[in-house]
Amino acid sequence: MSRLLHHDDLGKLLLRLAVGGLILLHGIDKLLNPASITDIGNMLDAMGVPVFLAYGVLIGEIVAPLMVILGWQARIGGLLIAGNMLVAFVLVHHDEWLALNAQGGWALELQGLFLIGALAIAFMGSGRLAMHPD
């Protein structure tokens, strides 16, 4: 039983599939609902940041998750997802950093898990069960 539970590469694959797959769904939603990119652009504009940078979210929610899922340059993909999450923390969730949800958990637990999971991928790499192990 203990040998079965000592499979780092399988653990890395599961982490990559979970983080990449769940973030990718957010990116697909943005592709299907382009108004969300406009909303992000409006937030950036209000902060004095160029509106075209709103399309960067597609890198963090489409390109990077695919890199992570496939295990091609997974460390870079993890960093891109982490950067995307940090921007989301600042732009969208700045008033929730210390908030709790109705069940007593952190209001940003999902975003926090995405951020930490992406950083874990960046630090650990893809493992051997990848298109291009790193």
Side-chain angles (χ1 to χ4, degrees):
M1 178 68 157
S2 67
R3 284 182 53 90
L4 178 64
L5 296 178
H6 288 269
H7 201 304
D8 292 348
D9 293 313
L10 180 58
K12 290 175 185 178
L13 174 63
L14 292 173
L15 180 63
R16 288 186 3 248
L17 293 176
V19 172
L22 293 172
I23 289 283
L24 181 61
L25 294 174
H26 290 268
I28 291 169
D29 180 66
K30 286 178 179 65
L31 285 177
L32 297 175
N33 300 297
S36 60
I37 299 291
T38 303
D39 294 342
I40 294 168
N42 291 337
M43 281 189 274
L44 292 172
D45 190 40
M47 298 175 71
V49 177
V51 174
F52 75 89
L53 292 177
Y55 291 96
V57 75
L58 297 177
I59 294 170
E61 294 184 5
I62 299 285
V63 177
L66 289 173
M67 293 168 69
V68 165
I69 290 166
L70 295 173
W72 179 78
Q73 300 294 324
R75 291 178 192 268
I76 294 170
L79 287 175
L80 290 170
I81 292 170
N84 190 66
M85 292 315 303
L86 289 173
V87 170
F89 269 76
V90 172
L91 286 183
V92 181
H93 303 289
H94 54 85
D95 57 343
E96 299 173 280
W97 291 351
L98 301 176
L100 299 178
N101 63 27
Q103 294 78 34
W106 186 31
L108 298 177
E109 61 191 16
L110 178 63
Q111 293 83 358
L113 280 169
F114 283 152
L115 173 63
I116 300 304
L119 288 172
I121 292 166
F123 287 124
M124 293 188 306
S126 63
R128 288 182 292 182
L129 302 175
M131 176 184 274
H132 181 65
D134 59 0

